[in-house]
Amino acid sequence: MADAADEDRRAGSGPELLEPVLVDLARRTGASVAAVYLLEEDEPVLRLAALGGTPWEISMPWARVMLDAVSPVSDAVRERRLVWVGGQEERARRYPRLALVLPYRFALAAAAVATGADTWGGLVVHWPASHPSELSPREREAITGACHRLGLILRHAAEEGRRVRPGAEPLMLPPLRARTVGPDEAQAAVDFVERLPRGCCSLGVDGRIAFVSTRAAELLGADIEALLGRKPWEALPWLDEPTAEDRYRAAVLSREPVSFTALRPPDRWLSFRLTPDASGISVHIAPTHSAHAHAPVSTPPRPDAGVSTAPGRAAILYHLMHLAATLTEAVGVRDVVDQVADQMLPAFGAEALALMTAEEGRLRIIGYRGYSADVMEDFDAEPLTSATPAVRTLATGVPAFFGSFAELQRAYPPAVARDGMAAWAFLPLITSGHPVGSLVLVYGRPRAFASEERAVLTSTAGLIAQALDRARLYDTKHQLAHDLQAALLPHALPDVPGLEVAARYLPATRGMDVGGDFYDLIRLDATNAAAAIGDVQGHNMTAAALMGQVRTAVHATAGAPPDEVLARTNRLLTDLDPGLFTSCLYAHIDLTEQRARLATAGHPPPLLRHPDGRTEVLHLPPGLLLGIDPDVPYSSTEVPLPPGSVLAFYTDGLVEAPGVDLADAVDALARQLERAGPGTLDALADSLVQHARRSAPRSDDIALLLIRPTGRP
């Protein structure tokens, strides 16, 4: 059975609607890759919907990206801004996981696709390695225009009930070609290639052989028919090794010529030179006499005697991919140290390493491998004011590489070769822009640190920093914060005959601090109830404690007129002088009179859905936030609340998002409440939360309280 996405495509409402915009953007900007991610309707996930310029296999690891992930597209969508990453080293610093898996030279931009308060997804664009380090104004304008056009297409489709959804695989865009030719010219091109002394073949964007000359087939030792339509490393077993595919990926992503050599058994060496463009890759094949005659040009080694070279990239990536996977499961500092040592030492051919963190003004060694305890004791507890490379790396966030002891001593004259080592890499451990420590990787022989290896090492340090941060802080702080939050919120709402209620609380998706959002329902008597919702400024223990005091104050005065409840609570908070302000919305619900009286202290306006489904935003007379002025007056507003109507209270986390006008976001929430139709309040609460997640990513706590009179005791 075809899925919904396939049916949408046949109906002309699938990702193919986005293709003209992406093709136009690539032509106007010279971009090598263009892709669109769409935001899921029911969870904070971005899924790849359309892709051009690179094979699906290369992009597969990023087919599904969580909104709270650290990646260019999730950052752009979550923060509603343009993210620019101008090169390999910048990518290594800011997005180490991405740089680790794709250690190639290219630039990229990501931007949110949105209309008003609705966020639909994100746009990702790559440029070849030759692109300048900054975006030009024309390119920025083209990206902004493309996002706007994509947003309008997606909104229009959704309004017509044909929401664009990604398929199981993204829509692959056709390659851009400089020109197309007829049969006669195509035959002339083949004749030209056949006269060349070297072998030639052409790979499509997907890496499959689209054309191969007779000379190339002879050199490869295979029939032309056996090669066409297959990837070289699939058709030729002797080419099924990491270098060939790695060089192909480098050519696709960097759009730079690359080369490598390979041994065709038993003893014939062949050189391959790959020249890429938007339509694919041209490959020149020629015999050579050694494995190094046509090797890629790289940074030459330093003239130091006995300089070691970096391990092959395939070996490095194997170890580091394993390290990345295992670090996600590390539950303590000891686990992190063990995993780092197990993978990094063999990956980079290092002899020893040490992990250090800043504690009480000193750089403490928290784990090491390959060093003796005596040496580590000598280096432990260095003051953060000392002039050592490890301290400087921590303070500046800039890695330092010394290929020999002479280099180290030139930079730090007091240095003494007490560890018997010959080369050092000092790497900053930085997470979320905050330095948490340093990693020193040490080698027994002098070493040439090529730029590519430096980028990989820097990326790896970023992964380690994140794991250390989690291991030391996340478990205890996260658990403490949310235990406190749960203790301060009501464990269950009271049963009020004639009143149906539903509540939701969702902590912020980023960060671990406890928030100050709260909600409450208070049964006053058989026919009267009070409801309140509020938000204390800040995300810390002080905010949580103040939230508990506000709830207590509201309970103590519940039953009085709403304006008086807020006035008394306000006087209490100003007397406490906590230095934090609180928004609050309070309602007195009279089930007999079928009315509600409401008062607000700077809180987002409530929504009222009438029994016929019509929904309005209740713009109450504004009241000052609690805790500012002890004598400020508040006023009440009375609204009808017949059976079947729904009163919706919420905190700003449900509607606020970067770049979205608050009034537009509230109106969008009201439309969602109106569209939701009849059903249980629990289902309605879930639909409102899902709307918030897909309309814009959230960085604040969410509290939601829904109230519906049933008319039945």
Side-chain angles (χ1 to χ4, degrees), residues 173-186:
L173 306 182
L176 298 178
R177 289 186 166 85
R179 57 183 293 218
T180 56
V181 300
D184 292 342
E185 194 171 357

PDB file of all heavy atoms in Angstrom, residues 173-186:
ATOM      1  N   LEU A 173      16.870  15.967  -6.695  1.00  0.00           N
ATOM      2  CA  LEU A 173      16.762  16.959  -7.755  1.00  0.00           C
ATOM      3  C   LEU A 173      17.681  16.596  -8.916  1.00  0.00           C
ATOM      4  O   LEU A 173      18.767  16.032  -8.709  1.00  0.00           O
ATOM      5  CB  LEU A 173      17.136  18.341  -7.223  1.00  0.00           C
ATOM      6  CG  LEU A 173      16.371  18.814  -5.982  1.00  0.00           C
ATOM      7  CD1 LEU A 173      16.817  20.206  -5.597  1.00  0.00           C
ATOM      8  CD2 LEU A 173      14.869  18.785  -6.230  1.00  0.00           C
ATOM      9  N   PRO A 174      17.293  16.922 -10.137  1.00  0.00           N
ATOM     10  CA  PRO A 174      18.155  16.610 -11.288  1.00  0.00           C
ATOM     11  C   PRO A 174      19.420  17.459 -11.248  1.00  0.00           C
ATOM     12  O   PRO A 174      19.403  18.599 -10.779  1.00  0.00           O
ATOM     13  CB  PRO A 174      17.279  16.974 -12.492  1.00  0.00           C
ATOM     14  CG  PRO A 174      16.312  17.989 -11.965  1.00  0.00           C
ATOM     15  CD  PRO A 174      16.047  17.597 -10.541  1.00  0.00           C
ATOM     16  N   PRO A 175      20.544  16.920 -11.741  1.00  0.00           N
ATOM     17  CA  PRO A 175      21.793  17.690 -11.725  1.00  0.00           C
ATOM     18  C   PRO A 175      21.737  18.860 -12.706  1.00  0.00           C
ATOM     19  O   PRO A 175      21.067  18.799 -13.749  1.00  0.00           O
ATOM     20  CB  PRO A 175      22.846  16.669 -12.143  1.00  0.00           C
ATOM     21  CG  PRO A 175      22.094  15.639 -12.933  1.00  0.00           C
ATOM     22  CD  PRO A 175      20.733  15.571 -12.315  1.00  0.00           C
ATOM     23  N   LEU A 176      22.429  19.932 -12.338  1.00  0.00           N
ATOM     24  CA  LEU A 176      22.540  21.081 -13.237  1.00  0.00           C
ATOM     25  C   LEU A 176      23.654  20.811 -14.242  1.00  0.00           C
ATOM     26  O   LEU A 176      24.774  20.458 -13.869  1.00  0.00           O
ATOM     27  CB  LEU A 176      22.847  22.342 -12.435  1.00  0.00           C
ATOM     28  CG  LEU A 176      21.797  22.777 -11.411  1.00  0.00           C
ATOM     29  CD1 LEU A 176      22.274  24.007 -10.662  1.00  0.00           C
ATOM     30  CD2 LEU A 176      20.468  23.050 -12.088  1.00  0.00           C
ATOM     31  N   ARG A 177      23.364  20.985 -15.526  1.00  0.00           N
ATOM     32  CA  ARG A 177      24.362  20.754 -16.570  1.00  0.00           C
ATOM     33  C   ARG A 177      24.647  22.045 -17.318  1.00  0.00           C
ATOM     34  O   ARG A 177      23.747  22.862 -17.538  1.00  0.00           O
ATOM     35  CB  ARG A 177      23.877  19.684 -17.545  1.00  0.00           C
ATOM     36  CG  ARG A 177      23.873  18.281 -16.956  1.00  0.00           C
ATOM     37  CD  ARG A 177      23.527  17.245 -17.999  1.00  0.00           C
ATOM     38  NE  ARG A 177      23.845  15.904 -17.530  1.00  0.00           N
ATOM     39  CZ  ARG A 177      23.039  15.163 -16.781  1.00  0.00           C
ATOM     40  NH1 ARG A 177      21.855  15.642 -16.426  1.00  0.00           N
ATOM     41  NH2 ARG A 177      23.412  13.962 -16.378  1.00  0.00           N
ATOM     42  N   ALA A 178      25.912  22.196 -17.731  1.00  0.00           N
ATOM     43  CA  ALA A 178      26.284  23.386 -18.486  1.00  0.00           C
ATOM     44  C   ALA A 178      25.611  23.404 -19.852  1.00  0.00           C
ATOM     45  O   ALA A 178      25.242  24.467 -20.356  1.00  0.00           O
ATOM     46  CB  ALA A 178      27.803  23.449 -18.637  1.00  0.00           C
ATOM     47  N   ARG A 179      25.423  22.215 -20.442  1.00  0.00           N
ATOM     48  CA  ARG A 179      24.787  22.140 -21.764  1.00  0.00           C
ATOM     49  C   ARG A 179      24.347  20.714 -22.018  1.00  0.00           C
ATOM     50  O   ARG A 179      24.813  19.776 -21.363  1.00  0.00           O
ATOM     51  CB  ARG A 179      25.756  22.589 -22.867  1.00  0.00           C
ATOM     52  CG  ARG A 179      27.043  21.800 -22.887  1.00  0.00           C
ATOM     53  CD  ARG A 179      28.009  22.314 -23.921  1.00  0.00           C
ATOM     54  NE  ARG A 179      27.515  22.100 -25.267  1.00  0.00           N
ATOM     55  CZ  ARG A 179      28.294  21.761 -26.292  1.00  0.00           C
ATOM     56  NH1 ARG A 179      29.598  21.591 -26.123  1.00  0.00           N
ATOM     57  NH2 ARG A 179      27.798  21.593 -27.498  1.00  0.00           N
ATOM     58  N   THR A 180      23.465  20.543 -22.963  1.00  0.00           N
ATOM     59  CA  THR A 180      23.056  19.220 -23.444  1.00  0.00           C
ATOM     60  C   THR A 180      23.298  19.170 -24.946  1.00  0.00           C
ATOM     61  O   THR A 180      23.291  20.206 -25.622  1.00  0.00           O
ATOM     62  CB  THR A 180      21.570  18.949 -23.145  1.00  0.00           C
ATOM     63  OG1 THR A 180      20.765  19.990 -23.723  1.00  0.00           O
ATOM     64  CG2 THR A 180      21.321  18.920 -21.637  1.00  0.00           C
ATOM     65  N   VAL A 181      23.512  17.970 -25.468  1.00  0.00           N
ATOM     66  CA  VAL A 181      23.862  17.827 -26.884  1.00  0.00           C
ATOM     67  C   VAL A 181      22.996  16.755 -27.530  1.00  0.00           C
ATOM     68  O   VAL A 181      22.368  15.934 -26.849  1.00  0.00           O
ATOM     69  CB  VAL A 181      25.353  17.458 -27.047  1.00  0.00           C
ATOM     70  CG1 VAL A 181      26.236  18.542 -26.446  1.00  0.00           C
ATOM     71  CG2 VAL A 181      25.654  16.110 -26.406  1.00  0.00           C
ATOM     72  N   GLY A 182      23.001  16.760 -28.863  1.00  0.00           N
ATOM     73  CA  GLY A 182      22.291  15.760 -29.628  1.00  0.00           C
ATOM     74  C   GLY A 182      23.143  14.539 -29.894  1.00  0.00           C
ATOM     75  O   GLY A 182      24.321  14.487 -29.517  1.00  0.00           O
ATOM     76  N   PRO A 183      22.591  13.531 -30.599  1.00  0.00           N
ATOM     77  CA  PRO A 183      23.310  12.265 -30.832  1.00  0.00           C
ATOM     78  C   PRO A 183      24.622  12.443 -31.588  1.00  0.00           C
ATOM     79  O   PRO A 183      25.619  11.792 -31.263  1.00  0.00           O
ATOM     80  CB  PRO A 183      22.303  11.424 -31.630  1.00  0.00           C
ATOM     81  CG  PRO A 183      20.966  12.022 -31.289  1.00  0.00           C
ATOM     82  CD  PRO A 183      21.206  13.477 -31.078  1.00  0.00           C
ATOM     83  N   ASP A 184      24.643  13.308 -32.596  1.00  0.00           N
ATOM     84  CA  ASP A 184      25.863  13.454 -33.393  1.00  0.00           C
ATOM     85  C   ASP A 184      27.003  14.010 -32.544  1.00  0.00           C
ATOM     86  O   ASP A 184      28.138  13.528 -32.594  1.00  0.00           O
ATOM     87  CB  ASP A 184      25.604  14.374 -34.590  1.00  0.00           C
ATOM     88  CG  ASP A 184      24.669  13.736 -35.603  1.00  0.00           C
ATOM     89  OD1 ASP A 184      24.501  12.500 -35.551  1.00  0.00           O
ATOM     90  OD2 ASP A 184      24.101  14.475 -36.425  1.00  0.00           O
ATOM     91  N   GLU A 185      26.702  15.052 -31.774  1.00  0.00           N
ATOM     92  CA  GLU A 185      27.743  15.645 -30.941  1.00  0.00           C
ATOM     93  C   GLU A 185      28.167  14.682 -29.837  1.00  0.00           C
ATOM     94  O   GLU A 185      29.338  14.631 -29.457  1.00  0.00           O
ATOM     95  CB  GLU A 185      27.257  16.963 -30.341  1.00  0.00           C
ATOM     96  CG  GLU A 185      28.376  17.802 -29.746  1.00  0.00           C
ATOM     97  CD  GLU A 185      27.921  19.194 -29.337  1.00  0.00           C
ATOM     98  OE1 GLU A 185      26.735  19.533 -29.560  1.00  0.00           O
ATOM     99  OE2 GLU A 185      28.757  19.927 -28.776  1.00  0.00           O
ATOM    100  N   ALA A 186      27.221  13.897 -29.307  1.00  0.00           N
ATOM    101  CA  ALA A 186      27.560  12.922 -28.279  1.00  0.00           C
ATOM    102  C   ALA A 186      28.518  11.880 -28.833  1.00  0.00           C
ATOM    103  O   ALA A 186      29.495  11.496 -28.165  1.00  0.00           O
ATOM    104  CB  ALA A 186      26.286  12.261 -27.751  1.00  0.00           C
TER     105      ALA A 186
END
